[in-house]
């Protein structure tokens, strides 16, 4: 156990002031190839027929799987503290994003 702690490396992560502000997104589109996952984060505004991709993140399949695990863990911790997160479709079954980009992909 002691050897494991000695072998761990610490990474210092820099976060610029601009990056720390973040970018708001209320829709994510996900596509993949055999070597990467592409996550497009989009801001969809009510009543506006066009939406812009605000950030694109490209990760390896292995990292995508670790990201999903980390999100599941954090969502569980959030729900333990604040209660269940309701999906928009749970509140209004007719709710659906009216978007079609064509081609393969998924939504989150």
């Amino acid at each position: 156990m002691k050897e494991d702690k000695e072998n761990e490396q610490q990474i210092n992560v820099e976060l610029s002031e601009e990056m720390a502000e973040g970018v708001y997104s209320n829709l994510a589109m996900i596509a993949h190839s055999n070597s990467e996952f592409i996550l497009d984060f989009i801001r969809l505004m009510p009543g506006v027929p066009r939406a812009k991709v605000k950030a694109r993140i490209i990760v390896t399949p292995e990292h995508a799987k670790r990201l999903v695990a980390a999100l599941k863990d954090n969502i569980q911790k959030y729900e333990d503290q604040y209660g269940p997160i309701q999906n928009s479709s749970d509140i209004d079954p007719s709710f659906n994003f009216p978007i079609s980009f064509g081609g393969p992909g998924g939504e989150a």
Side-chain angles (χ1 to χ4, degrees):
M1 187 94 149
K2 186 177 179 182
E3 286 181 26
D4 289 341
K5 288 194 176 201
E6 289 176 4
N7 290 334
E8 286 183 18
Q9 293 181 355
Q10 283 195 321
I11 299 173
N12 291 324
V13 177
E14 290 186 27
L15 183 64
S16 69
E17 189 174 323
E18 180 183 0
M19 188 63 66
E21 290 179 16
V23 175
Y24 178 75
S25 169
N26 55 5
L27 177 67
M29 301 293 291
I30 303 168
H32 67 275
S33 69
N34 66 334
S35 61
E36 62 195 16
F37 278 75
I38 302 162
L39 296 85
D40 286 331
F41 294 92
I42 300 161
R43 184 180 309 153
L44 183 64
M45 302 299 288
V48 179
R50 295 178 60 93
K52 289 189 176 182
V53 173
K54 294 298 183 175
R56 172 172 275 188
I57 307 297
I58 302 168
V59 298
T60 65
E62 180 185 1
H63 186 70
K65 199 165 191 176
R66 288 194 309 264
L67 178 61
V68 167
L71 279 170
K72 284 182 179 180
D73 180 57
N74 277 270
I75 288 170
Q76 184 61 56
K77 289 174 182 174
Y78 176 95
E79 290 184 326
D80 289 346
Q81 185 171 357
Y82 301 107
I85 299 169
Q86 289 189 329
N87 290 321
S88 298
S89 58
D90 293 342
I91 299 166
D92 180 2
S94 65
F95 178 82
N96 192 12
F97 282 108
I99 294 179
S100 174
F101 287 93
E107 291 184 25

